[in-house]
C-alpha cells in the first residue's frame, strides 16, 4: 500500500510521535506478553479518548491563535487560580519532561543496542553512553533549525519508519485474526489486569501533548477555516499511532514463554522465530520511538513556558531555545550516565496526575465558552463523550498519585 504523505503530515503526526515513546513500547510489550490480545480494547479506547481531547486542544489553538498555556493564562481572572495553574503547568510539563527525557533517550539507545551496536567512554569516575549523547545532539540539531516544516518532515519520516518496523513485525507473527478482533472489540478484565488497563490509557493520553498540539496547529495553519483539516489530521495520525501500539501488543503476544520487561527482551524473545529480522525491526522501531519523543518532549516544555510567560511564539527565539536546550541537556546527562532522578520523576508524576484531569476539565470548559470559541463550541454529543473521558482521565490521575505514594 502506497503511503500518501499528505494524509500523514501535520501536527497530529508530532502528537503520535510524542506518545509512542519508549514508555509506550514497554507498557504495550508487557501487556501483550502477559495478557495476549485480551486488552487490545483498552488501547482502542485510548485512541478514541486521545482523538477527542487532542481535537479540542487543536480547535482552541486555531480559534484563539494561541497555545493552550497562553489561553489558560489569559482566561483565568482569579490571581490565585492563575498562579496555581501556571505553577502546575510549569512543574508538571517542564520539570516532568526534563526527568522523562532521560527515559526517551535511554529507549532510543536500547533500540540501537538491539541492532548489535554499543558504545561508551569514561571521564573520571563517570561512564557515558556515546549513543545517548549522539541522539541528544541529533535532537538538538533538528530543534535548533527552528523551522516547523523541516521538523514536521523529519518526524513524519521517523514515524513512518517506526510504524513500518512494528507493523511488519506484527504481521510476521501471523496472529489469529479472530482472536485479535475479539480482543479489540470485546472488553474483558483478566485477573490482575486493572492497573495494566489504566497504564495503557495513561501512556496514550499524555498531558503535554495537549499543549504541544494547540501550539503546533498555529505553526501549520492559520485561522478557523483550518479546523476540518486539523480534525482529519488528528484522526489519521492518532489512529496510526494507536495501530503501532496495538502492533507492539500483537508482537509480544507471540511470545510463548520467558520474562519480558522491555522491547529489548521482546527482540530477543522473537529472535528464535524470525532470526535477526526481529531484532532489526524492533531495534529500528524502538530507536525511532526514542528519538521522536526526545525531540517532542523538550519542544512541548518550551511551548508551555512560552505560554505561561506570555512570550511571542517563535521557534528561533533565544529564550525558547534556552528552555528546550536545558531539558535536552538534563536528559542527555541522566541517560548517558545511567542515573535515574527518582525524586524528580515522582514529583513530576504527582504533578501530572493532578494536571491531567485539571487540563481535561479546562478543555471542556473553554470549548463551551462562546465568548472564546464563537460558533466552534462543542455539540451536545461531544460534551457527553468529553465528560465520560474526563471521568477516565480523573481515574488515571488518581491512580498515578496513589501509585507514587505506594497506596497501589
Amino acid at each position: 500500500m502506497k503511503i500518501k504523505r499528505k494524509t500523514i503530515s501535520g501536527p497530529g503526526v508530532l502528537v503520535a510521535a510524542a506518545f509512542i515513546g519508549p514508555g509506550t513500547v514497554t507498557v504495550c510489550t508487557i501487556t501483550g506478553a502477559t495478557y495476549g490480545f485480551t486488552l487490545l480494547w483498552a488501547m482502542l479506547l485510548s485512541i478514541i479518548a486521545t482523538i477527542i481531547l487532542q481535537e479540542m486542544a487543536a480547535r482552541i489553538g486555531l480559534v484563539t491563535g494561541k497555545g493552550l498555556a497562553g489561553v489558560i493564562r489569559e482566561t483565568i481572572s482569579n490571581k490565585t487560580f492563575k498562579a496555581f495553574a501556571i505553577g502546575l503547568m510549569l512543574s508538571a510539563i517542564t520539570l516532568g519532561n526534563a526527568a522523562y527525557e532521560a527515559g526517551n533517550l535511554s529507549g532510543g539507545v536500547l533500540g540501537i543496542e538491539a541492532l548489535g551496536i554499543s558504545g561508551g567512554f569514561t571521564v573520571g569516575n563517570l561512564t557515558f553512553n556515546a549513543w545517548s549523547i549522539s541522539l541528544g545532539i541529533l535532537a538538538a540539531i533538528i530543534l535548533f533549525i527552528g523551522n516547523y516544516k523541516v521538523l514536521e518532515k523529519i518526524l513524519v519520516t521517523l514515524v513512518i519508519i517506526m510504524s513500518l518496523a512494528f507493523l511488519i513485525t506484527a504481521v510476521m507473527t501471523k496472529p489469529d485474526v479472530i482472536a485479535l478482533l475479539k480482543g479489540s472489540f470485546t472488553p474483558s478484565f483478566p485477573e490482575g489486569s486493572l492497573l495494566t488497563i489504566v497504564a495503557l490509557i495513561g501512556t496514550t493520553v499524555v498531558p503535554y501533548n495537549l499543549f504541544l498540539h494547540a501550539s503546533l496547529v498555529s505553526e501549520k495553519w492559520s485561522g478557523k477555516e483550518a479546523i476540518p483539516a486539523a480534525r482529519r489530521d488528528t484522526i489519521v495520525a492518532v489512529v496510526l499511532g494507536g495501530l503501532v501500539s496495538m502492533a507492539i501488543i500483537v508482537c509480544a503476544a507471540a511470545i510463548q514463554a520467558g520474562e519480558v520487561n522491555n522491547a529489548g527482551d521482546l527482540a530477543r524473545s522473537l529472535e528464535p522465530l524470525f532470526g535477526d529480522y526481529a531484532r532489526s525491526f524492533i531495534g529500528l522501531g524502538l530507536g525511532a520511538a526514542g528519538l521522536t519523543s526526545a525531540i517532542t518532549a523538550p519542544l512541548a516544555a518550551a511551548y508551555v513556558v512560552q505560554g505561561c510567560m506570555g512570550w511571542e511564539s517563535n521557534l528561533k527565539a533565544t529564550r525558547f531555545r534556552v528552555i528546550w536546550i536545558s531539558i535536552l541537556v538534563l536528559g542527555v546527562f541522566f541517560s548517558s550516565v545511567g542515573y535515574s532522578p527518582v525524586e524528580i520523576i515522582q514529583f513530576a508524576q504527582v504533578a501530572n496526575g493532578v494536571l491531567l484531569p485539571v487540563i481535561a476539565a479546562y478543555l471542556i470548559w473553554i470549548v463551551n465558552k462562546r465568548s472564546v470559541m464563537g460558533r466552534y463550541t462543542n455539540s451536545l454529543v461531544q460534551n457527553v463523550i468529553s465528560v465520560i473521558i474526563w471521568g477516565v482521565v480523573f481515574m488515571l490521575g488518581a491512580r498515578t498519585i496513589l501509585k507514587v505514594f505506594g497506596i497501589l
Side-chain angles (χ1 to χ4, degrees):
M1 180 181 70
K2 184 178 180 181
I3 298 176
K4 294 182 180 180
R5 188 184 170 282
K6 289 185 178 180
T7 65
I8 53 171
S9 174
V13 177
L14 275 70
V15 169
F19 78 70
I20 311 173
T24 299
V25 175
T26 298
V27 169
C28 292
T29 297
I30 295 171
T31 299
T34 307
Y35 299 104
F37 299 154
T38 57
L39 296 185
L40 284 172
W41 65 269
M43 182 52 64
L44 190 60
L45 176 63
S46 303
I47 297 168
I48 295 170
T50 302
I51 289 172
I52 298 296
L53 292 175
Q54 296 295 158
E55 188 277 334
M56 288 194 291
R59 200 174 353 137
I60 290 172
L62 286 172
V63 171
T64 64
K66 300 181 179 68
L68 190 54
V71 176
I72 292 173
R73 187 179 63 85
E74 292 182 7
T75 54
I76 299 179
S77 56
N78 185 284
K79 291 184 178 180
T80 302
F81 287 154
K82 182 182 292 188
F84 170 76
I86 290 175
L88 184 60
M89 288 186 292
L90 288 174
S91 59
I93 304 300
T94 307
L95 187 60
N97 283 11
Y100 299 146
E101 184 69 355
N104 294 330
L105 291 167
S106 297
V109 171
L110 188 63
I112 294 172
E113 291 178 345
L115 297 173
I117 309 170
S118 61
F121 60 92
T122 302
V123 177
N125 295 323
L126 292 177
T127 299
F128 293 87
N129 188 298
W131 286 115
S132 180
I133 296 173
S134 299
L135 286 175
I137 292 172
L138 180 57
I141 292 171
I142 293 169
L143 287 169
F144 196 82
I145 292 170
N147 185 305
Y148 172 76
K149 290 183 179 179
V150 173
L151 178 66
E152 180 185 270
K153 287 178 181 177
I154 291 171
L155 286 174
V156 164
T157 302
L158 288 171
V159 167
I160 290 174
I161 291 171
M162 174 172 58
S163 302
L164 291 175
F166 286 122
L167 289 170
I168 289 172
T169 310
V171 172
M172 286 169 63
T173 66
K174 298 180 181 178
D176 182 333
V177 176
I178 301 300
L180 191 152
L181 291 174
K182 182 179 179 182
S184 299
F185 297 102
T186 306
S188 61
F189 300 84
E191 186 177 351
S193 66
L194 183 59
L195 292 181
T196 303
I197 292 169
V198 175
L200 282 173
I201 300 172
T203 195
T204 310
V205 183
V206 183
Y208 86 71
N209 272 347
L210 299 171
F211 294 91
L212 184 65
H213 205 177
S215 296
L216 288 177
V217 288
S218 297
E219 302 281 354
K220 174 75 174 181
W221 296 293
S222 177
K224 304 166 186 175
E225 295 76 16
I227 289 177
R231 185 174 291 128
R232 287 193 299 271
D233 171 64
T234 301
I235 293 171
V236 171
V238 174
V239 168
L240 175 62
L243 288 175
V244 172
S245 297
M246 295 174 83
I248 298 168
I249 294 174
V250 171
C251 292
I255 300 169
Q256 302 298 320
E259 185 177 356
V260 177
N261 296 307
N262 55 50
D265 293 340
L266 176 59
R268 285 187 291 273
S269 298
L270 290 177
E271 203 166 3
L273 294 174
F274 309 116
D276 291 337
Y277 289 111
R279 182 179 291 272
S280 298
F281 280 123
I282 292 176
L284 194 61
L286 183 58
L291 181 57
T292 56
S293 295
I295 294 169
T296 53
L299 183 64
Y303 273 125
V304 168
V305 174
Q306 173 187 280
C308 288
M309 298 294 112
W311 299 340
E312 180 186 359
S313 178
N314 187 350
L315 288 171
K316 295 183 179 179
T318 300
R319 51 192 175 186
F320 187 89
R321 283 173 169 168
V322 166
I323 301 302
W324 66 251
I325 288 172
S326 301
I327 302 294
L328 197 51
V329 167
L330 286 172
V332 168
F333 176 78
F334 288 137
S335 65
S336 63
V337 300
Y339 174 71
S340 178
V342 177
E343 292 80 8
I344 297 176
I345 291 173
Q346 287 180 334
F347 174 80
Q349 287 175 329
V350 171
N352 272 293
V354 175
L355 181 67
L356 182 56
V358 169
I359 292 301
Y362 177 81
L363 282 174
I364 296 170
W365 173 63
I366 203 70
V367 293
N368 282 286
K369 282 180 68 71
R370 288 200 174 274
S371 59
V372 176
M373 301 298 292
R375 64 187 182 91
Y376 298 100
T377 54
N378 267 6
S379 66
L380 177 62
V381 173
Q382 285 175 313
N383 278 329
V384 171
I385 297 172
S386 299
V387 170
I388 294 172
I389 291 172
W390 182 85
V392 174
V393 299
F394 177 81
M395 289 189 293
L396 277 173
R399 179 255 184 186
T400 299
I401 296 170
L402 294 174
K403 188 176 180 181
V404 169
F405 288 107
I407 299 174
L408 282 179

